[in-house]
Amino acid sequence: MECEKRKRKYCVALYIRYVAAFFLVFFFSRLLQLWHSVESSFPNDLIIQSLSHLPPNITTHNEKAERNIIFVHVGKAAGETIKNILKAGCLARTARRRQEKCLARLPDSRLSELVSAYFHCFDVPRLKKLKPTSFLFNVRHPVDRALSWYGYIHPDHCKHMATPACKAKWQLKNEDTWVHRFFDCFPTAEEWFLPKTSHCRAIAQQAWKGSLDYREVPLAAHMIANYQHYVNNTIHVLPDSEILVVRTTDLWHDLKALDEWLGGTGRFGRGIEGTAVTHGSHRYANPVLNGTTMFAACCALLPELSVYRDLLAKAANLDQITKDLEREDAVKHCGSESWEELWESCSQLHSS
Ligand SMILES: *[C@@H]1O[C@H](CO)[C@@H](O)[C@H](O)[C@H]1NC(C)=O
Ligand SMILES: *[C@@H]1O[C@H](CO)[C@@H](O)[C@H](O)[C@H]1NC(C)=O
Ligand SMILES: *[C@@H]1O[C@H](CO)[C@@H](O)[C@H](O)[C@H]1NC(C)=O
């Protein structure tokens, strides 16, 4: 009995210990499980988070990745298209509806991120305040740019009210306007480069050189705001800044390559890439000039041609082979073999 009693006491104590041990083991195993699950999920989350915050791989592209770029929109050289893929370009649109539409369609890109300001015509940016590192120019052969301007304001191309061509058509009615005198002398672009009288020659030169006041002749704004004007207001003010260039003739190739070069993906989206935004210039093509007229046009725009050549030569984003080809193509387009030959022939033309 004693024993029985003792035994029972002993058994109960033993039983309690077993139960306690069981719970202890159970408790610790749960704790261990919990710890494992925490351990396995915790670092994963961290990795996912830090990956999504990784900066673009700038080392593969180039080291000077921190840039503050101003887009210099040279007129009649596909600038409208570029404007539409830049946030700064959209914001520069003054009509609110056009601005909203532009922002809604804006593709994400490294280029758009880095371009902080937009410069077009006479709205000269305050460089001291903006402190840009780089200027991005859109460039096109000066003769093609000039022909595009001529077509853009030609009264025969008036289709929609308020376009420059219609404004020109309206101004033709008034003999006292520059536009009247201009189209009186030059009903075709060929005649503009081969003026027959000294009176017409003087008017032709005003357009070639852009030596007019844009407030008096707003229709000539794109000839007044020429390469020299844009360079004067950018690189000449900040000579140490970097020059970036996209060519109108290779627009999407250059934009994609530039975006990649800056550390981006080079993708602007299917509905955007390859498109062109114009003020209606797609409705008429530049005339094809014969050799004589083309040469005369190159001589007329020779100072512009050399600024254009220098911009291409200094472009940080173009490779040397491309630059050499462009340098050659620019004079071949004029019918010359070399820059020296072109200078020489033009000086003979001017002195004759
Ligand atoms: C980043 O650049 C380095 C150095 O060129 C390269 O080895 C690495 O693969 C690149 N990483 C990514 C994610 O592109
Ligand atoms: C550019 O600057 C030069 C020198 O300051 C000046 O002679 C020239 O008229 C300017 N040209 C334009 C188009 O602004
Ligand atoms: C080239 O075009 C101009 C202007 O249209 C014309 O006067 C000239 O005769 C043409 N020259 C040649 C060689 O065809």
Side-chain angles (χ1 to χ4, degrees):
M1 232 23 198
E2 282 276 52
C3 172
E4 286 250 272
K5 265 187 187 169
R6 271 215 318 269
K7 238 178 153 178
R8 244 172 81 191
K9 262 191 203 160
Y10 177 75
C11 284
V12 168
L14 212 67
Y15 176 74
I16 288 169
R17 263 181 236 163
Y18 276 135
V19 171
F22 174 79
F23 273 106
L24 228 83
V25 167
F26 178 77
F27 182 73
F28 272 108
S29 76
R30 280 300 294 160
L31 211 75
L32 222 72
Q33 249 182 350
L34 224 76
W35 170 248
H36 270 295
S37 69
V38 164
E39 202 182 34
S40 58
S41 70
F42 193 52
N44 271 350
D45 279 356
L46 262 188
I47 289 165
I48 289 162
Q49 276 222 333
S50 63
L51 265 183
S52 66
H53 287 104
L54 270 182
N57 200 354
I58 48 184
T59 51
T60 48
H61 300 285
N62 81 29
E63 291 160 358
K64 275 171 61 190
E66 276 324 306
R67 286 183 171 83
N68 177 10
I69 306 172
I70 293 184
F71 171 44
V72 184
H73 175 173
V74 176
K76 312 322 296 164
E80 279 300 314
T81 307
I82 304 167
K83 191 175 179 181
N84 260 18
I85 60 161
L86 301 174
K87 189 175 179 197
C90 286
L91 293 175
R93 297 208 176 277
T94 42
R96 226 186 84 196
R97 272 194 55 205
R98 289 195 69 192
Q99 188 186 99
E100 281 168 3
K101 210 173 139 193
C102 185
L103 287 170
R105 276 180 56 104
L106 184 70
D108 266 339
S109 73
R110 181 86 174 131
L111 185 61
S112 177
E113 242 171 67
L114 295 179
V115 174
S116 67
Y118 170 83
F119 170 29
H120 187 47
C121 285
F122 309 100
D123 208 357
V124 179
R126 288 156 66 194
L127 300 181
K128 287 218 174 82
K129 195 176 149 223
L130 292 166
K131 295 190 176 64
T133 60
S134 325
F135 294 107
L136 168 62
F137 293 82
N138 58 314
V139 303
R140 182 182 193 184
H141 195 284
V143 172
D144 297 338
R145 200 181 85 79
L147 288 173
S148 178
W149 166 77
Y150 180 91
Y152 172 67
I153 69 154
H154 199 290
D156 287 356
H157 293 148
C158 167
K159 290 278 186 304
H160 300 287
M161 292 295 288
T163 58
C166 292
K167 284 178 192 160
K169 197 173 173 179
W170 186 253
Q171 289 184 24
L172 281 192
K173 294 190 177 113
N174 183 351
E175 277 186 26
D176 201 28
T177 57
W178 184 84
V179 171
H180 181 100
R181 292 192 287 277
F182 183 80
F183 283 108
D184 227 21
C185 279
F186 317 118
T188 68
E190 282 86 351
E191 286 161 287
W192 175 31
F193 292 118
L194 298 166
K196 289 193 183 74
T197 65
S198 59
H199 161 76
C200 287
R201 186 171 184 82
I203 293 168
Q205 276 183 338
Q206 288 178 328
W208 299 341
K209 294 181 177 163
S211 57
L212 292 155
D213 187 330
Y214 75 91
R215 282 157 297 206
E216 282 164 30
V217 193
L219 283 176
H222 287 313
M223 291 309 290
I224 301 164
N226 55 15
Y227 286 117
Q228 189 65 61
H229 162 82
Y230 288 114
V231 164
N232 274 11
N233 287 293
T234 55
I235 306 160
H236 282 182
V237 182
L238 299 174
D240 290 334
S241 43
E242 177 184 55
I243 298 169
L244 305 171
V245 157
V246 290
R247 299 163 295 166
T248 302
T249 48
D250 297 81
L251 186 65
W252 285 102
H253 169 275
D254 284 0
L255 284 171
K256 287 162 76 64
L258 175 61
D259 190 62
E260 276 181 23
W261 187 76
L262 293 168
T265 61
R267 288 192 289 269
F268 298 98
R270 275 162 146 260
I272 306 270
E273 281 168 30
T275 58
V277 182
T278 71
H279 283 305
S281 54
H282 56 282
R283 282 198 296 271
Y284 50 86
N286 274 353
V288 178
L289 305 183
N290 69 21
T292 315
T293 318
M294 190 64 201
F295 171 65
C298 285
C299 293
L301 298 168
L302 202 54
E304 280 290 278
L305 207 54
S306 63
V307 182
Y308 164 76
R309 177 197 61 188
D310 291 348
L311 280 173
L312 280 163
K314 287 177 185 160
N317 60 313
L318 298 182
D319 59 74
Q320 197 53 49
I321 294 170
T322 305
K323 288 183 194 187
D324 291 346
L325 280 175
E326 282 299 337
R327 192 184 156 85
E328 236 176 81
D329 280 355
V331 280
K332 274 193 187 153
H333 199 43
C334 299
S336 291
E337 283 304 313
S338 67
W339 283 87
E340 291 71 25
E341 191 197 302
L342 183 65
W343 281 105
E344 184 65 32
S345 327
C346 285
S347 58
Q348 281 170 15
L349 181 79
H350 287 315
S351 59
S352 68

